[in-house]
Amino acid sequence: MNIENVKSQMRKGVLEYCILLILNKGEAYVSDIIQSLKDARLIVVEGTLYPLLTRLKNDELLSYTWKESSQGPPRKYYNLTEKGHTFLTELEKSWNELNETILSLKR
Amino acid sequence: MKKTLTINLANTVYHIDEDAYNKLQVYFENLRKHFSNEEDANEILTDIEARFSELFNERLKYGMQVITLKEVDETIGIMGNPNEFEDTTDHPDANGENSESNDEKTPQKKKRRLYRDIENQKIAGVAAGLAAYLNVDVTLIRVILLLLVLIGVGSIIPIYLILWIAIPEAHTSAQKLEMRGEEPTIENIKNFVKENVERVAEKAEKEIKAARERNFFQKAGDGLIEIIQAVAKVLMALIGGVFGLLGLIILLMLLASIAFVVPFLITGASSPFFPFGSNIYIEGYNIGNLAMYPQLMVSLLLFIGIPLGAIAYAIFQKIFNWRPTSKSTGWILVAIWLISFTLTMYYGIIYAHEIFVLNSTNL
């Protein structure tokens, strides 16, 4: 069993949750999301994020609007949809359960 | 000193060193492959390009003008190579690295198409095209062809001419790849073009040297084919026109005669065009009257009318650009026609029998 593999599996599991959490605070464009994830030391390579965002958008959990930026071309600002909010609440529940399980196991 | 290129990345212009450009190009190509199963591959790639543009912008702030290999390496490092991406889909193999790297080297094989290989042609490129299609050496094909001619299979020559006319030339790189049975992806075309640059240069030199002798034969051949094709086209047009016109005339005549005859057949009345009473006599024989056999009449009308109507429809459709009818309509008509055909046979026999009985008792 490869330790890196397990780690990446774990990250994979929470990445979507994290993105939704970040966007729950307000709309953000990709660089903001990347920055937040980096601050949380979660993301390894940025390329991972793009297909994930697209998939979340296709599942109608996210939507985006184009906004002018002072430097360079317009940017895509992502935000949570109604569906995204409910999805996040669900994830929240299961995360809490998981967290409790882990904590109880650690005791 | 290096050559630079200008690129458009997310609608921003960048100057980029040639080597850096090549690296970036390969990287994006790999990304494209990686995301090829993805629903919105294009959108993802556009987003990534936009991010690259942003990262380049950050790096160009310090008064630099050109993106070098260093910047590209850094940005690719940030973005990560496709095999480093954490695959969030539920693929059975979590890191598809193996399949990924294998795909890059071996060009995918697919069905070959037959083209004339005008690059390796001796006469028209038929043999070379066949060789590429069958994946064997051209020389082998040529030797076999020559042997066949020599041992008296003379029909090879007209067959060759027919193939010459029928098989298209491989003009574009994509067609040339198809001829060899390789997928015309950007990667393959790129490799192919690279491979060929030298060959083409060589060939150009040779051609300049031998321009006159070579070109005469080819030109003569090309001219001949053009003439044959033009003549064939004119002939086809003529034949088509004549047949169309004939068909139309025959059809109109048939329609006219039916229009005249049918009312009298149905009513059994006599008329100036069809002077028969209730029973029709030809040379003393009673042939009855169709009007007295409605089943036969109806089936006969359908039996004759459906094909005629179909022909008429087809012609008018060509002339007036009507929409073609649906397939189901066609099948229904065919079914009705088959039924009417059977009924015509059935009632026809009954009718003939009755007429026979009628005549034998009367005479």
Side-chain angles (χ1 to χ4, degrees):
Chain A
M1 186 150 259
N2 184 342
I3 180 70
E4 273 312 312
N5 206 353
V6 177
K7 276 187 190 169
S8 106
Q9 293 279 349
M10 282 168 92
R11 271 199 302 269
K12 209 182 288 179
V14 294
L15 198 51
E16 295 178 30
Y17 181 36
C18 293
I19 290 171
L20 294 179
L21 274 179
I22 291 166
L23 289 173
N24 196 28
K25 288 185 202 155
E27 58 175 11
Y29 91 110
V30 182
S31 294
D32 297 337
I33 303 174
I34 288 169
Q35 200 51 51
S36 307
L37 288 174
K38 270 194 182 143
D39 291 345
R41 273 182 283 160
L42 189 75
I43 200 165
V44 181
V45 290
E46 291 186 9
T48 313
L49 203 58
Y50 290 90
L52 189 52
L53 281 172
T54 313
R55 228 170 283 137
L56 288 172
K57 186 210 74 190
N58 286 344
D59 290 342
E60 291 166 2
L61 301 177
L62 303 182
S63 63
Y64 62 76
T65 46
W66 289 98
K67 286 204 176 170
E68 297 292 329
S69 85
S70 52
Q71 55 234 21
R75 293 162 170 179
K76 262 184 192 173
Y77 273 84
Y78 284 92
N79 53 276
L80 279 184
T81 59
E82 195 80 355
K83 202 174 161 192
H85 278 292
T86 33
F87 194 81
L88 183 60
T89 338
E90 282 302 307
L91 279 182
E92 201 100 76
K93 265 188 228 159
S94 86
W95 172 257
N96 287 339
E97 280 167 20
L98 199 67
N99 201 19
E100 272 167 37
T101 316
I102 300 283
L103 283 177
S104 74
L105 283 176
K106 272 184 175 170
R107 249 176 243 143
Chain B
M1 198 170 73
K2 273 180 182 172
K3 201 163 129 190
T4 67
L5 300 161
T6 316
I7 57 168
N8 171 348
L9 206 59
N11 294 324
T12 314
V13 172
Y14 293 97
H15 298 290
I16 182 167
D17 277 341
E18 205 176 11
D19 47 0
Y21 170 78
N22 287 335
K23 182 144 194 184
L24 202 58
Q25 173 104 354
V26 170
Y27 178 73
F28 275 124
E29 194 48 49
N30 285 340
L31 278 185
R32 193 174 291 281
K33 260 188 215 156
H34 180 80
F35 291 129
S36 57
N37 308 327
E38 210 72 36
E39 213 179 315
D40 286 311
N42 275 331
E43 191 179 354
I44 295 171
L45 283 166
T46 325
D47 287 349
I48 291 180
E49 277 190 21
R51 178 65 177 160
F52 262 86
S53 162
E54 223 174 70
L55 291 169
F56 283 157
N57 249 343
E58 280 175 18
R59 277 158 185 74
L60 285 179
K61 269 181 190 157
Y62 317 109
M64 281 173 52
Q65 289 189 342
V66 179
I67 293 161
T68 65
L69 206 52
K70 184 170 154 269
E71 276 76 42
V72 169
D73 278 337
E74 277 176 19
T75 352
I76 289 178
I78 291 169
M79 192 59 73
N81 275 310
N83 53 22
E84 294 171 285
F85 291 176
E86 279 162 32
D87 221 332
T88 43
T89 45
D90 303 307
H91 285 312
D93 57 334
N95 355 302
E97 288 170 44
N98 296 334
S99 58
E100 200 71 30
S101 47
N102 280 347
D103 279 356
E104 274 166 37
K105 292 297 166 198
T106 47
Q108 286 165 331
K109 293 286 168 197
K110 70 166 220 171
K111 230 181 131 199
R112 287 158 194 273
R113 285 205 56 192
L114 193 53
Y115 285 105
R116 282 190 287 129
D117 186 356
I118 43 174
E119 254 171 42
N120 298 316
Q121 70 188 136
K122 278 281 178 284
I123 301 173
V126 173
L130 277 174
Y133 184 75
L134 301 169
N135 201 14
V136 293
D137 200 278
V138 203
T139 321
L140 185 66
I141 302 260
R142 287 197 180 119
V143 168
I144 292 173
L145 287 180
L146 268 178
L147 276 178
L148 282 174
V149 174
L150 287 178
I151 60 172
V153 189
S155 51
I156 284 298
I157 293 169
I159 288 174
Y160 187 94
L161 289 175
I162 289 166
L163 289 178
W164 187 351
I165 296 169
I167 302 173
E169 290 173 9
H171 274 301
T172 65
S173 299
Q175 286 171 336
K176 283 169 195 166
L177 279 168
E178 258 186 313
M179 182 172 72
R180 294 168 167 197
E182 283 167 25
E183 198 84 51
T185 60
I186 299 174
E187 273 294 277
N188 277 343
I189 290 180
K190 203 176 74 189
N191 293 340
F192 179 79
V193 170
K194 238 183 223 171
E195 263 174 44
N196 273 17
V197 167
E198 292 160 28
R199 279 208 307 143
V200 170
E202 260 173 50
K203 208 183 155 215
E205 227 169 84
K206 253 195 264 169
E207 252 179 46
I208 292 164
K209 271 186 205 160
R212 258 172 229 160
E213 312 135 58
R214 273 190 59 116
N215 273 348
F216 173 72
F217 199 35
Q218 279 174 251
K219 268 184 190 158
D222 288 346
L224 202 66
I225 283 195
E226 260 170 46
I227 291 168
I228 291 170
Q229 280 174 339
V231 169
K233 263 186 200 161
V234 171
L235 275 179
M236 291 295 278
L238 274 178
I239 292 168
V242 166
F243 269 93
L245 208 63
L246 271 179
L248 200 63
I249 291 168
I250 291 170
L251 185 82
L252 286 176
M253 282 160 65
L254 276 169
L255 284 177
S257 54
I258 288 172
F260 278 122
V261 169
V262 164
F264 302 109
L265 278 179
I266 292 170
T267 56
S270 59
S271 82
F273 309 103
F274 207 69
F276 307 114
S278 55
N279 270 349
I280 299 160
Y281 293 90
I282 291 177
E283 292 180 5
Y285 282 95
N286 186 343
I287 61 161
N289 187 333
L290 270 181
M292 295 157 87
Y293 305 89
Q295 307 97 319
L296 179 58
M297 285 275 318
V298 172
S299 54
L300 194 60
L301 277 180
L302 287 173
F303 175 60
I304 300 171
I306 288 175
L308 281 180
I311 294 169
Y313 191 86
I315 290 173
F316 288 129
Q317 189 197 314
K318 275 268 180 296
I319 296 172
F320 300 114
N321 253 341
W322 287 354
R323 278 249 218 91
T325 50
S326 67
K327 252 192 184 160
S328 51
T329 320
W331 284 118
I332 291 168
L333 284 175
V334 167
I336 295 175
W337 183 79
L338 284 173
I339 294 168
S340 67
F341 172 72
T342 321
L343 289 178
T344 306
M345 288 294 139
Y346 178 68
Y347 290 120
I349 289 167
I350 294 176
Y351 178 71
H353 179 72
E354 274 182 35
I355 298 294
F356 178 74
V357 172
L358 198 76
N359 281 319
S360 54
T361 50
N362 277 4
L363 284 175

